[in-house]
Amino acid sequence: MGEFLSLLPPQAALETFLAAFSASLETETIPTEQSLGRVSATNIVAPHALPSFSRSTVDGYAVRAKDTHGASEGLPAFLKVVGEVQMGTQAEIPLGVGECAIIHTGGMLPADADAVVMVEQTQQASGNEIEVFKAAASGQNMLKAGEDVEADAQILAAGVTLRPAEIGGLMAMGVTTVTVTKRPTVGILSSGDEVIPPSQMIGPGQVRDINSYTLRALVEQHGGIANNYPIIPDNPDDFRNAATKALAENDVVIFTAGSSVSVRDLTAETIDNLGAPGVLVHGVNVRPGKPTILAVADGKPVIGLPGNPVSALVIANIFVTATIQKLSGLASTPLKAQIPAKLMLNLSSQSGREDWIAVKLTETPDGYIADPVFGKSNLIFTLTRAD
Amino acid sequence: MGEFLSLLPPQAALETFLAAFSASLETETIPTEQSLGRVSATNIVAPHALPSFSRSTVDGYAVRAKDTHGASEGLPAFLKVVGEVQMGTQAEIPLGVGECAIIHTGGMLPADADAVVMVEQTQQASGNEIEVFKAAASGQNMLKAGEDVEADAQILAAGVTLRPAEIGGLMAMGVTTVTVTKRPTVGILSSGDEVIPPSQMIGPGQVRDINSYTLRALVEQHGGIANNYPIIPDNPDDFRNAATKALAENDVVIFTAGSSVSVRDLTAETIDNLGAPGVLVHGVNVRPGKPTILAVADGKPVIGLPGNPVSALVIANIFVTATIQKLSGLASTPLKAQIPAKLMLNLSSQSGREDWIAVKLTETPDGYIADPVFGKSNLIFTLTRAD
């Protein structure tokens, strides 16, 4: 577990780490309308077909398609209007040969009808009769029962993030509660004799705690529940006690320690002694963020982040996010949307190292231009100036 | 206000609409740590410089750079260690010629020091002396006071969405509360004699309300507060009363009406009579979603969405989202991240019309492949099958 003996690339480090713990996936059942962003815990099948009856998709006339065969502008078909389908009711209108019924978009097709003619393709003739100017194909301008979903078809798989569309689909089927995985809890430990809570005035040599709050926000952004703990003084006993408590109370523990070598060593030692198997990865080939620690203690993931606020956010974005996703039971890695942009200068990187660089984007007629916002990884405002 | 006399392209329709109302921007002051995703309402300037003192960025020795000039592996500079800077305290260690102090990452530089030598570039000599193997440049391995932000510099502009980095930046400056704009309230009105609440069993000809819930989720996703109202029966009085109540109680009103022509007309008429100037856009050249209504009533935006669930979501994604952003006081349109993908078949569109097509993405070594998920705009599960 020596620091930096071998630096793993971020992707390999992530795979090693994620393979070393499993998701316990506790679940809870909540109202579907409050399930935005949550992850489904079970497969759900359709309790009935959708639509549950054949519906018109236009305003017009429900017809027997064969009664309109051969109809044209020059030689319209004449049909007798024998009723009007009322919205939201059973369409109990028997249609004989040459008969049709007025129907509105969304209306239920009478049992004898197999197509709908749009009102624009008809004209009122004498009395109860209409002229149809175009032949209708069977199934035209209608949704058949079960065309969206058949009864017993799977409408939601386990491990899916609920978006507005999924919520709508469940509501359409009358599924008003849904079983989702519990949000993973993430304990955030900050340390450093020089670190004080943001509400305090800073004295000489002191800095305010930033990481507890950026990490809290990042955890919430990705569906976790963040639990912040008091800042730990730089000594082994306090480290061990705080870590043990946080590990017992959370599904994940994140350390954001002071950045000096001695405090980094203290963090690594504390994490390694927290439970088996201990530290799996110590040092990742990424800039910023090299001194990252990935560990598992008694089955729970533990992450030691660099102390510098920019490094901590970059690394948390890779490892904390993926940890929350795994513990949420997400079946697949979410798609990562991108903004393609042109970099206007050359940036050098060390061979094998992954570099994360904050940029400011400017829209031009030829697409986005990316201007790097340079800054040391200690400078939080480097990130606020970037997109 | 006749329907579809002239179809505006979506972008032109959006510009016309957004120009016709202004944001009142009521504000509230909340704890910074709870401000994720909120929009800042005021400019904020730095109450002090950050860092507030010159800090070391490495573990090593605080030195007077000129004492190391000419130092090399072969001819090291000898410096006398006269103290150690304790983390989180004033560095009250005067440095005379040829003197240095032990310092840790993040430690405060003694007033006489102007550089830090990394411990790796030194070696313990006899007693209190160290050998320095490399000349230090003034300012090396340290952050100067104010290097992140100068006192009185603007650290946050009004109209910015608070991300983890902004929250961290404010906390670093001791700004533990922040004034943000109030979340806009959005009244959602659903109508249709055939539409029933999702908790009810559907009878013949009936469908469950989907749009109230997909729209609620979309509004929440974009930072608005959604207020759902009972389903309105299809008659003018009920429409007018529900609309008047929703307009009085919300910043925005969305109609998602039945889809038949008569109900669409009723929606358009109700919206137009709700307040001046009334309907601005009726019909947008987009598929799905042509029968969109954009209106302003007594200064408040009112949007009539198509009744079909897919159309309603597509249109809400364009117009409701932008409305919430404007009413939240966002200073610029958020960047739209994209996923470039290759479409494996040709899709035709009508000249001048914008088409929105749901796709399923598959990752391949050459990038993403997009497979369109075809489906009528009545089929909500078209969207749940898509990415």
Side-chain angles (χ1 to χ4, degrees):
Chain A
M1 61 148 275
E3 186 170 4
F4 313 148
L5 287 185
S6 63
L7 291 179
L8 277 183
Q11 189 56 36
L14 183 60
E15 285 164 17
T16 301
F17 180 50
L18 292 180
F21 63 91
S22 54
S24 72
L25 296 189
E26 284 185 76
T27 65
E28 58 188 327
T29 300
I30 61 174
T32 304
E33 62 178 297
Q34 289 164 22
S35 66
L36 180 67
R38 300 297 294 270
V39 177
S40 57
T42 58
N43 296 335
I44 298 178
V45 297
H48 57 72
L50 190 77
S52 53
F53 53 89
S54 295
R55 307 180 71 188
S56 177
T57 59
V58 297
D59 295 287
Y61 298 91
V63 301
R64 300 147 43 106
K66 62 175 178 256
D67 292 347
T68 67
H69 285 177
S72 66
E73 291 271 351
L75 192 68
F78 285 82
L79 298 180
K80 187 178 170 198
V81 180
V82 295
E84 175 174 350
V85 177
Q86 298 301 318
M87 295 301 288
T89 62
Q90 177 90 42
E92 283 167 336
I93 305 171
L95 297 185
V97 175
E99 292 182 341
C100 69
I102 298 170
I103 195 164
H104 306 282
T105 307
M108 178 173 183
L109 254 74
D112 301 321
D114 66 345
V116 180
V117 176
M118 291 174 76
V119 69
E120 292 84 347
Q121 288 167 357
T122 66
Q123 185 176 294
Q124 195 74 30
S126 58
N128 279 348
E129 277 198 331
I130 56 159
E131 297 175 14
V132 176
F133 299 120
K134 206 172 165 198
S138 179
Q140 168 188 296
N141 295 327
M142 58 178 278
L143 295 177
K144 293 201 180 74
E147 187 166 340
D148 199 346
V149 169
E150 298 283 356
D152 296 326
Q154 179 171 298
I155 54 173
L156 190 70
V160 168
T161 300
L162 291 148
R163 302 170 298 177
E166 277 75 22
I167 292 174
L170 293 176
M171 289 311 221
M173 307 307 294
V175 181
T176 55
T177 62
V178 60
T179 301
V180 296
T181 57
K182 285 195 176 169
R183 295 181 194 278
T185 51
V186 182
I188 300 172
L189 295 173
S190 203
S191 71
D193 285 340
E194 77 280 25
V195 180
I196 59 165
S199 55
Q200 286 182 23
M201 287 302 300
I202 38 177
Q206 296 182 324
V207 293
R208 294 198 182 89
D209 185 11
I210 300 180
N211 291 344
S212 287
Y213 302 94
T214 55
L215 294 172
R216 179 188 188 86
L218 183 127
V219 164
E220 288 173 353
Q221 221 173 18
H222 291 90
I225 296 174
N227 293 315
N228 288 103
Y229 289 83
I231 297 159
I232 318 172
D234 286 340
N235 75 67
D237 283 351
D238 286 322
F239 261 66
R240 190 179 51 245
N241 293 339
T244 305
K245 181 172 155 67
L247 189 69
E249 294 175 353
N250 294 279
D251 300 319
V252 188
V253 175
I254 305 178
F255 272 86
T256 156
S259 38
S260 67
V261 165
S262 59
V263 176
R264 282 212 303 262
D265 288 348
L266 186 54
T267 308
E269 202 184 301
T270 306
I271 292 179
D272 204 38
N273 292 328
L274 205 51
V279 172
L280 304 168
V281 174
H282 194 171
V284 177
N285 204 2
V286 59
R287 187 170 81 173
K290 194 172 70 164
T292 297
I293 298 171
L294 304 173
V296 170
D298 296 340
K300 292 183 180 178
V302 179
I303 302 174
L305 296 175
N308 286 330
V310 175
S311 316
L313 259 185
V314 165
I315 293 302
N317 199 39
I318 303 174
F319 298 104
V320 176
T321 302
T323 301
I324 293 173
Q325 285 161 355
K326 171 155 187 177
L327 293 181
S328 302
L330 261 193
S332 60
T333 312
L335 298 164
K336 287 228 170 77
Q338 301 169 344
I339 299 177
K342 195 167 179 184
L343 196 57
M344 297 310 276
L345 74 178
N346 292 321
L347 293 175
S348 60
S349 175
Q350 201 174 293
S351 168
R353 190 181 68 197
E354 191 170 297
D355 285 21
W356 289 65
I357 292 161
V359 298
K360 181 91 202 149
L361 296 176
T362 312
E363 200 167 4
T364 74
D366 300 328
Y368 284 106
I369 300 289
D371 289 305
V373 180
F374 290 110
K376 297 170 184 161
S377 56
N378 322 57
L379 305 182
I380 182 72
F381 287 100
T382 309
L383 289 187
T384 70
R385 281 185 283 260
D387 287 316
Chain B
M1 59 149 278
E3 186 171 5
F4 312 146
L5 287 184
S6 62
L7 292 179
L8 277 181
Q11 190 55 36
L14 184 60
E15 285 165 15
T16 301
F17 180 51
L18 292 180
F21 64 91
S22 53
S24 72
L25 295 189
E26 284 184 77
T27 64
E28 57 187 328
T29 300
I30 61 174
T32 303
E33 61 177 300
Q34 289 164 22
S35 67
L36 180 66
R38 300 297 295 268
V39 177
S40 57
T42 59
N43 296 334
I44 299 179
V45 297
H48 57 73
L50 190 76
S52 54
F53 53 90
S54 296
R55 308 179 70 187
S56 177
T57 59
V58 296
D59 294 287
Y61 298 90
V63 302
R64 301 150 39 110
K66 62 174 178 260
D67 292 348
T68 68
H69 285 177
S72 67
E73 292 273 352
L75 194 67
F78 286 81
L79 298 180
K80 187 178 170 199
V81 181
V82 296
E84 175 174 350
V85 176
Q86 298 301 318
M87 295 301 287
T89 62
Q90 177 89 42
E92 282 168 335
I93 304 171
L95 297 183
V97 173
E99 292 182 342
C100 68
I102 298 170
I103 194 164
H104 306 283
T105 308
M108 179 173 183
L109 254 74
D112 300 323
D114 65 344
V116 179
V117 175
M118 290 172 76
V119 68
E120 292 83 347
Q121 288 167 358
T122 67
Q123 184 176 294
Q124 195 75 29
S126 59
N128 280 347
E129 274 198 334
I130 57 161
E131 297 175 13
V132 175
F133 299 119
K134 206 172 166 197
S138 179
Q140 168 188 297
N141 295 327
M142 57 177 280
L143 294 178
K144 293 201 180 73
E147 188 167 339
D148 198 346
V149 168
E150 298 282 358
D152 296 327
Q154 179 172 299
I155 53 172
L156 190 69
V160 169
T161 299
L162 291 148
R163 300 170 297 177
E166 278 75 20
I167 292 174
L170 293 176
M171 289 310 221
M173 307 306 294
V175 180
T176 55
T177 62
V178 60
T179 302
V180 295
T181 57
K182 285 195 176 169
R183 294 182 195 275
T185 52
V186 181
I188 300 171
L189 296 172
S190 204
S191 71
D193 284 339
E194 77 281 23
V195 180
I196 60 165
S199 54
Q200 288 182 22
M201 287 303 298
I202 38 177
Q206 297 183 324
V207 292
R208 294 199 182 87
D209 185 12
I210 300 179
N211 291 344
S212 287
Y213 302 94
T214 55
L215 294 171
R216 178 188 190 86
L218 183 128
V219 164
E220 288 173 353
Q221 222 173 18
H222 292 91
I225 295 174
N227 292 315
N228 287 104
Y229 288 84
I231 297 160
I232 318 173
D234 285 340
N235 74 66
D237 282 351
D238 285 323
F239 261 66
R240 191 179 51 246
N241 293 340
T244 305
K245 180 172 156 67
L247 190 69
E249 294 175 353
N250 294 279
D251 300 320
V252 188
V253 175
I254 305 178
F255 272 87
T256 157
S259 38
S260 67
V261 166
S262 60
V263 176
R264 282 212 304 260
D265 287 349
L266 185 55
T267 308
E269 201 184 301
T270 305
I271 292 179
D272 204 38
N273 291 329
L274 205 53
V279 173
L280 304 168
V281 174
H282 194 170
V284 177
N285 204 3
V286 59
R287 187 168 82 170
K290 194 172 74 167
T292 298
I293 298 170
L294 304 172
V296 170
D298 298 340
K300 291 182 180 177
V302 180
I303 302 174
L305 296 175
N308 285 329
V310 175
S311 316
L313 259 185
V314 165
I315 294 301
N317 199 39
I318 304 173
F319 297 104
V320 176
T321 301
T323 301
I324 293 173
Q325 285 162 355
K326 171 154 186 177
L327 293 181
S328 302
L330 261 194
S332 60
T333 311
L335 298 165
K336 287 227 170 76
Q338 302 169 343
I339 299 176
K342 195 167 179 184
L343 197 57
M344 295 310 275
L345 73 180
N346 291 319
L347 293 175
S348 61
S349 175
Q350 200 174 294
S351 168
R353 190 181 67 195
E354 191 171 297
D355 286 21
W356 288 65
I357 291 162
V359 297
K360 181 90 201 148
L361 296 176
T362 312
E363 200 166 4
T364 74
D366 300 328
Y368 284 106
I369 300 288
D371 289 305
V373 180
F374 291 111
K376 298 172 182 160
S377 57
N378 321 57
L379 306 183
I380 182 72
F381 286 101
T382 309
L383 290 186
T384 69
R385 281 186 282 262
D387 287 317

